[in-house]
Amino acid sequence: MKNLTLIGNWKLNGSKSSIQAFSNEWHGCDHPALTVAIAPPAPYLGYFAKTVASCLLAAQDCSAHDEGAHTGEISAAMLADWGCRYVLVGHSECREAHAESDELIGEKLRQVQAAGLLPVLCVGEDRHARESGTAETVVKAQLRGALLAGQSTALLVAYEPVWAIGTGLTASPEQANDMHAMIKSELYEVLQSEQDIPVLYGGSVNPDNARALFECAHVDGALVGGASLSAESFASIARAGINYLSH
Ligand code: PEP
C-alpha cells in the first residue's frame, strides 16, 4: 500500500481569525500512511504552527537566494527556521505572475533541499497544450528545465494542469494517472535513481472527487487549493484518503 500526502495551499487567503476558526474545526487526521500539511500565507506561518495541531507546515514559495540584498524575499533557511516541512516551487500562479523560468524554479528547489526541507515542484500544462495534444511535452520540459541530472531525489512533484486550477474542472483519474506515470519515468531518467518520488495531483480536488484520484496507481496524494480553506472540506478529503488506505 502506498503513502498519501495531502497539502493545502491557501494562496492569498487567511487571517488570524480564519486560522483560529480552522483550528476549532480541525481535529487531525490520524493514519500512519497519511501526511497532512497546510501552506498558509508566509506572514501566518508562525501563527498557524502554534494554533493548529496535527498539521504540518508548508510554504507557498521561497527565494532562489540564500541571503543578501533581495528585498521582500524569504529564504528556504528562514522557512526551515519557522518549522516548515514542505515548500511549493513553480506553482503556475507564481510562474505566470513573476514570469518564473524553469531554471529559476530549479534554483529555488535546490535552495529548499539545501535547507533540509522538501520541495514540491509544481508542473502542468495549460488548456491550449491539453487541447493541442502537447501536454506531455510541456510537462517534460518543465521537469527537465528544473532538475539537474543526478541531483538529490528529496522532493515531491505536483501535477497541476493549469486548466483545472480553481476552475472546478478536474483531470479525469485516467488523465492524471497517465501523466503521473510519465512524470515518474521522466524522474527516473533524469535523476538516475530508483527512489520512489511522490507525485501529487492538484486541480479542483474536493471531497467528492478525491477518492477516485487516490485510487490511481501513480497518484500519491493531492495539492488542494480552494477546498483546503475550510477545515470541514479539507478533513473530508483527508478522510477519503484514510478510507482508501484502510480499504
Ligand atoms: C492550487 O492552487 O494548487 C490548486 C490546486 O487550487 P484548486 O484546488 O483550488 O484548484
Side-chain angles (χ1 to χ4, degrees):
M1 181 61 78
K2 64 188 177 188
N3 293 330
L4 290 176
T5 302
L6 193 58
I7 302 178
N9 174 16
W10 281 11
K11 310 186 187 196
L12 189 57
N13 298 294
S15 60
K16 279 186 177 177
S17 64
S18 71
I19 291 170
Q20 190 58 60
F22 186 94
S23 165
N24 294 343
E25 284 184 38
W26 176 258
H27 305 297
C29 281
D30 226 15
H31 189 285
L34 176 72
T35 304
V36 181
I38 290 274
Y44 295 113
L45 284 165
Y47 187 74
F48 187 95
K50 73 172 187 220
T51 310
V52 182
S54 21
C55 199
L56 295 170
L57 208 54
Q60 299 177 15
D61 194 11
C62 76
S63 177
H65 306 282
D66 53 2
E67 61 179 359
H70 304 286
T71 302
E73 301 208 11
I74 297 171
S75 73
M78 292 171 183
L79 297 172
D81 224 10
W82 259 325
C84 285
R85 161 87 64 97
Y86 302 99
V87 184
L88 309 185
V89 294
H91 191 283
S92 60
E93 288 156 10
C94 299
R95 286 179 190 260
E96 193 185 331
H98 310 133
E100 290 187 343
S101 66
D102 290 317
E103 292 70 23
L104 178 85
I105 292 163
E107 284 166 27
K108 291 184 176 192
L109 183 147
R110 285 177 286 283
Q111 285 286 344
V112 176
Q113 289 179 325
L117 307 183
L118 286 167
V120 182
L121 171 61
C122 302
V123 296
E125 80 285 358
D126 63 14
R127 190 152 59 96
H128 173 72
R130 172 57 63 173
E131 287 172 356
S132 62
T134 56
E136 287 207 356
T137 313
V138 168
V139 170
K140 262 187 206 179
Q142 290 173 335
L143 290 169
R144 293 210 174 232
L147 298 170
L148 299 175
Q151 72 156 79
S152 165
T153 56
L155 75 145
L156 294 82
V157 172
Y159 168 56
E160 298 208 297
V162 178
W163 50 269
I165 296 183
T167 59
L169 300 172
T170 317
S172 68
E174 295 71 29
Q175 285 174 324
N177 200 47
D178 289 352
M179 187 62 89
H180 284 216
M182 187 287 287
I183 290 171
K184 287 185 180 195
S185 85
E186 204 60 16
L187 290 170
Y188 174 76
E189 272 191 34
V190 175
L191 302 177
Q192 295 289 309
S193 163
E194 299 280 347
Q195 185 75 33
D196 192 21
I197 294 171
V199 181
L200 316 184
Y201 170 78
S204 298
V205 174
N206 62 44
D208 296 328
N209 60 26
R211 170 75 189 246
L213 289 158
F214 295 151
E215 281 173 358
C216 296
H218 299 294
V219 173
D220 303 303
L223 179 53
V224 183
S228 68
L229 290 170
S230 125
E232 193 189 337
S233 63
F234 196 50
S236 296
I237 295 172
R239 275 196 302 276
I242 291 176
N243 289 340
Y244 162 72
L245 292 166
S246 317
H247 191 61

